[in-house]
Structures are given as C-alpha cells and as structure tokens.
Amino acid sequence: MRTPEEIMQDLDARVAQIQEQAGRAEQALADSATTLVSDDEVVTVTVNAGGTLTGLDFSPQARGMSGRGLADLVLDTYNRAVEESSQKTAQIMSGLLGADSEAMGVINSFTQPRQEP
C-alpha cells in the first residue's frame, strides 16, 4: 500500500507534467500566427491563434478595385485564414488535451468551419 507521501509525490509530479505541457501549448499558440495571401495577391491577412485579425496589407493593385470588391476579397481571405488558424489551434490543443477528450469536443465545436444555411 502506498503511503500518503508517495501519493502526494505522484500527484506533484503529475501536476508538474501538466504545467509543462500547458506551457508548451501556450507558447505554440502564441507562435502560431497564420498569414494568408489572396489568390490574386492583392490582400494579405494575418490572424492569431484565436482568429483575431492582427495584420492587413494591400498590394498596389488594390487601388484599382472597387470598395465592394476589395471588401469581399478581404473577408474571403480573412475567413480562409481563420479556418487555417482554427485547424492549427485544434492540432496544438489535441496534443495537450487528447484528440478524443470531451474538452477537445468543445474546442472542435468552435473551430470547425460553420456551414452556411
């Protein structure tokens, strides 16, 4: 039978392991910015792991586009970048939580592309 001290040592070791894994996941998420360029190379967007827009650049060809056309191109490129970022985030988190865990199920429900009605 294990002593209370052995149980506490095992628990402390497990907590340290989880903290180390969480730290690696946190750093991987911080480093996982996604930059995507539109097919015509007019728009470049960068999003962070949470899908927040952190960068937006236009090539000189953007000047010749209509406002609506440019807006549509930005939204399309942004949406594709968010989808790619979501896949990266899910991959990073599955390494920490386990691909089949209940917590990953919750994350996947937010990171999977939404189907248009």
Side-chain angles (χ1 to χ4, degrees):
M1 178 175 235
R2 293 178 4 164
T3 66
E5 290 81 18
E6 291 171 329
I7 293 170
M8 286 304 297
Q9 286 175 346
D10 288 347
L11 183 58
D12 287 343
R14 179 68 180 136
V15 167
Q17 179 185 20
I18 290 170
Q19 287 175 329
E20 191 260 329
Q21 289 173 326
R24 280 197 317 261
E26 183 178 20
Q27 186 62 50
L29 289 170
D31 294 340
S32 72
T34 298
T35 298
L36 199 68
V37 179
S38 63
D39 293 338
D40 57 7
E41 299 182 353
V42 172
V43 173
T44 302
V45 298
T46 302
V47 297
N48 66 15
T52 300
L53 182 67
T54 59
L56 177 62
D57 291 303
F58 301 104
S59 74
Q61 291 83 357
R63 292 181 189 266
M65 296 182 71
S66 70
R68 178 78 265 148
L70 186 56
D72 288 345
L73 189 57
V74 168
L75 285 174
D76 177 65
T77 307
Y78 168 76
N79 287 332
R80 291 188 301 122
V82 167
E83 186 174 325
E84 187 175 314
S85 176
S86 294
Q87 292 169 0
K88 286 182 185 179
T89 298
Q91 185 177 12
I92 291 166
M93 293 308 294
S94 71
L96 175 65
L97 302 172
D100 296 329
S101 70
E102 186 176 336
M104 268 315 297
V106 172
I107 289 173
N108 285 333
S109 72
F110 289 102
T111 60
Q112 297 302 317
R114 303 242 191 295
Q115 300 296 322
E116 295 294 322

